[in-house]
Amino acid sequence: MVDVAVICGSASDSQIAEKVFGVLREHGVSYDYQVISAHRDPERLDEYIKGSDARVFIAIAGLSAALPGLIASKTARPVIGVPVSGKLMGLDALLSIVQMPRGVPVACVGVDNGENAAHLAIRILNARSA
């Protein structure tokens, strides 16, 4: 069983993922890493979510940032969204992640803040095992 699934919507988001990995490794938290676009490969994303035994998902995405919401719509496990700066300094991604419809909750950290996503995942994991 893996503790955290880290999914980037694009390989260009990997520098944010590296921030996540550093914190997770520092705390001895297991993780799996995938690059899967919610728009370009929704079937593969659906298969990954269904087959994953991760306890928490971290979704890193920019622009429309559909990835965290799509993951949250497919699982009852916690999802943390990391908006990526790019166009509009990440405001577009930030607003997309925090404006999820009722019943599709996604926690959101600051723009490009992979470290806080990892710290939040660790707190969620610790709270669930306490």
Side-chain angles (χ1 to χ4, degrees):
M1 174 183 270
V2 68
D3 291 317
V4 179
V6 180
I7 306 172
C8 285
S10 169
S12 64
D13 302 331
S14 63
Q15 72 278 8
I16 307 301
E18 289 295 332
K19 296 176 182 180
V20 174
F21 305 154
V23 173
L24 294 178
R25 281 192 296 261
E26 180 181 321
H27 288 81
V29 175
S30 64
Y31 64 90
D32 181 54
Y33 174 59
Q34 300 288 319
V35 177
I36 309 173
S37 170
H39 295 105
R40 292 183 204 96
D41 210 351
E43 295 84 15
R44 181 171 162 236
L45 179 62
D46 192 45
E47 288 173 21
Y48 178 76
I49 296 165
K50 286 179 182 173
S52 175
D53 61 358
R55 295 168 52 202
V56 177
F57 288 89
I58 294 177
I60 303 167
L63 299 174
S64 69
L67 183 63
L70 186 57
I71 294 169
S73 76
K74 304 283 186 180
T75 184
R77 291 169 279 176
V79 178
I80 302 166
V82 182
V84 176
S85 61
K87 303 210 181 210
L88 305 176
M89 297 181 291
L91 183 60
D92 48 349
L94 174 69
L95 292 175
S96 176
I97 293 171
V98 299
Q99 293 298 327
M100 289 294 110
R102 185 172 304 152
V104 186
V106 175
C108 183
V109 297
V111 175
D112 295 338
N113 201 335
E115 294 96 336
N116 265 2
H119 286 295
L120 180 55
I122 292 165
R123 286 185 180 195
I124 291 168
L125 292 167
N126 288 339
R128 296 181 83 191
S129 64

